[in-house]
Amino acid sequence: MKGDYQDLVDEISALLGAPATLENRDFRLIAFGAHDSDDDLAMDPVRTRSILTRQSTADVRSWFEGFGIARATGPVRIPAAPDAGVFRGRICLPVRYRGIVQGYVWLLDQEPGKPGPEPAALDAAMEVAQRIGVLLAEEAKAGADLSREFLAVLTAGPGWPRDMAVAALRAALGPGGDGLHAAVCVAPWPGEAPASVPGAAAVCVVPRRGGGEPGGASGPGAAAGPGSDPAGDPALAVLLRLRSTDALAPALAAVARLLPRAAEATGTAGRAAGGTGAGGTGGTGGGVGTTTAVARGVTAGVADPVRGLADLPAAWEQAVAAARAAAAQPRFGPVAQWSAIGPYRLLAALAADPVDDPAARTLLTPANRELARTAEVFLDCAGQAGRAAAALGIHRQTLYYRLARVEQLTGLDLDEGEDRLLLHMALKASRLA
């Protein structure tokens, strides 16, 4: 399919005598024509960035959409906008199928005073754009089918329902279904699934618990099982293709690029509801950085690679647990791997609901937040008072006083191994919940 797009883009470039660029309706790069000019000024930063990063910035997108390209049925000329980083005018050829925009073909417009493409050439280029629209629509339909089958696997109950869902997804994926994959969870995820994710075999949004949809309160995932994000928010599920178990770097990079989009949308939703959103916008590229993503509670988890779709529900549980661990412990995030979250692998399975152990109940109230933190740091330091006091920035005698208060509130003896284990588990589990 990629070759088909490239051939069609090259055909438009030849018709109009200028290098063309094809992006989908989310402004993600699909194909581009070679620019054989020796004049560096013939290129502009927007086209260069689009080619190098595979996407355009929010400022650029807003400028272009302001000229009605999503509604246009013919070529649209767009002037330069240096403030938005658009230093050259553009000709946009909307790519449509049955009246629905599927993407855009972009060309740098001629400088003022120079003749642009002839109307006949533009008409011929629009005919090619219509052929591109057919391909994009077919690809979108295939992606929608995969999304439906992928969601069915993640929300199906055990036994024959899950077996049937796995068989349907394997058939939809074709020969690649038996390859190596990793499941990814990005949560929370507002809105629809992205049209494409680099390296992804399938993408879907798993509904919140209690939403009356698959995986909701009445579905198989009601008890924080594989069909829902245990935090209760919708989550983006991504099935990433892998070349080998040692080649996770490209997959992790693809996931990291999703976080700013989720955080930006989360912040927008919060402002629309009258809030300000946590954190501020970061970076200069029309998104928010991963630091802001974590500040807004957006994290991602990556499961261990699996070969065989039958193991996909278990891999999804791993991905959800890793995302929860990243939210609980910033040192894991913003993208956490299941293999790297240590004791949270067990705690995520045990602490699907808020912790309510009678021993820790009083300690975990807001009034005792400082005592709880002291106890957690002390236990993280394996009970070594000197290390714990240094980590907390307090005198050792202050540490001993606080630990005595912890013992009074919990009824536990911090000299006893099992009491320490119980308290440590309760404190860590409370982070997840």
Side-chain angles (χ1 to χ4, degrees):
M1 189 73 76
K2 177 71 172 177
D4 295 335
Y5 290 132
Q6 189 63 59
D7 291 344
L8 293 170
V9 167
D10 290 343
E11 187 175 342
I12 291 177
S13 298
L15 283 169
L16 301 180
T21 302
L22 171 64
E23 294 179 333
N24 67 14
R25 59 188 170 200
D26 291 330
F27 287 72
R28 293 195 65 86
L29 182 69
I30 297 174
F32 62 92
H35 202 296
D36 55 8
S37 172
D38 293 329
D39 182 7
D40 291 340
L41 296 178
M43 283 286 284
D44 80 335
V46 170
R47 187 171 195 269
T48 301
R49 186 187 188 281
S50 176
I51 292 172
L52 293 177
T53 67
R54 317 299 291 184
Q55 61 186 350
S56 296
T57 69
D59 286 343
V60 169
R61 175 173 179 167
S62 177
W63 174 254
F64 288 155
E65 289 181 331
F67 288 87
I69 59 174
R71 301 182 300 276
T73 57
V76 179
R77 274 193 160 85
I78 301 174
D83 290 345
V86 183
F87 293 98
R88 288 281 302 276
R90 293 291 198 283
I91 297 177
C92 174
L93 307 182
V95 176
R96 310 184 78 86
Y97 176 73
R98 293 185 176 177
I100 299 174
V101 67
Q102 305 291 329
Y104 308 99
V105 174
W106 300 97
L107 301 104
L108 295 178
D109 204 356
Q110 294 293 335
E111 296 179 6
K114 294 185 178 180
E118 295 289 335
L122 284 172
D123 289 342
M126 282 300 299
E127 290 180 4
V128 180
Q130 289 177 4
R131 286 150 55 193
I132 294 175
V134 173
L135 290 180
L136 285 174
E138 290 175 349
E139 192 173 82
K141 183 180 183 303
D145 291 342
L146 278 172
S147 175
R148 184 181 63 251
E149 305 298 355
F150 184 33
L151 178 61
V153 170
L154 300 185
T155 58
W160 66 265
R162 183 174 296 167
D163 293 342
M164 291 182 63
V166 167
L169 178 60
R170 184 180 290 111
L173 288 171
D178 293 323
L180 196 64
H181 294 88
V184 173
C185 171
V186 181
W189 184 268
E192 299 178 353
S196 63
V197 175
V203 183
C204 70
V205 174
V206 182
R208 69 173 66 241
R209 279 193 296 166
E213 300 178 69
S218 59
S228 62
D229 166 28
D233 290 314
L236 182 72
V238 184
L239 183 63
L240 287 172
R241 302 184 189 92
L242 299 178
R243 293 183 178 178
S244 72
T245 55
D246 299 326
L248 271 174
L252 295 175
V255 175
R257 285 195 291 270
L258 291 170
L259 295 183
R261 298 170 64 182
E264 184 180 49
T266 300
T268 301
R271 289 190 294 274
T276 58
T281 56
T284 59
V288 292
T290 52
T291 300
T292 305
V294 175
R296 288 181 177 158
V298 181
T299 56
V302 182
D304 283 345
V306 295
R307 191 181 299 277
L309 299 178
D311 295 328
L312 196 52
W316 172 243
E317 290 185 22
Q318 290 184 0
V320 170
R324 293 176 65 203
Q329 286 283 8
R331 63 187 173 87
F332 290 140
V335 181
Q337 294 179 242
W338 162 258
S339 59
I341 62 174
Y344 286 92
R345 294 198 294 264
L346 292 177
L347 288 169
L350 297 174
D353 296 313
V355 176
D356 189 30
D357 186 85
R361 188 177 298 153
T362 303
L363 183 63
L364 291 174
T365 60
N368 293 309
R369 184 175 290 115
E370 190 62 40
L371 288 177
R373 178 171 177 268
T374 298
E376 183 176 8
V377 172
F378 173 71
L379 295 169
D380 286 345
C381 292
Q384 297 180 30
R387 283 179 56 202
L392 290 164
I394 60 177
H395 192 276
R396 188 178 295 201
Q397 288 302 122
T398 303
L399 173 69
Y400 291 145
Y401 170 76
R402 290 183 183 179
L403 293 178
R405 287 283 298 131
V406 169
E407 289 183 326
Q408 290 174 2
L409 289 172
T410 62
L412 300 174
D413 183 352
L414 295 184
D415 288 330
E416 293 294 329
E418 289 193 357
D419 283 3
R420 285 191 184 189
L421 177 61
L422 171 60
L423 182 58
H424 210 179
M425 289 177 64
L427 290 168
K428 294 300 185 186
S430 70
R431 287 185 174 273
L432 292 176

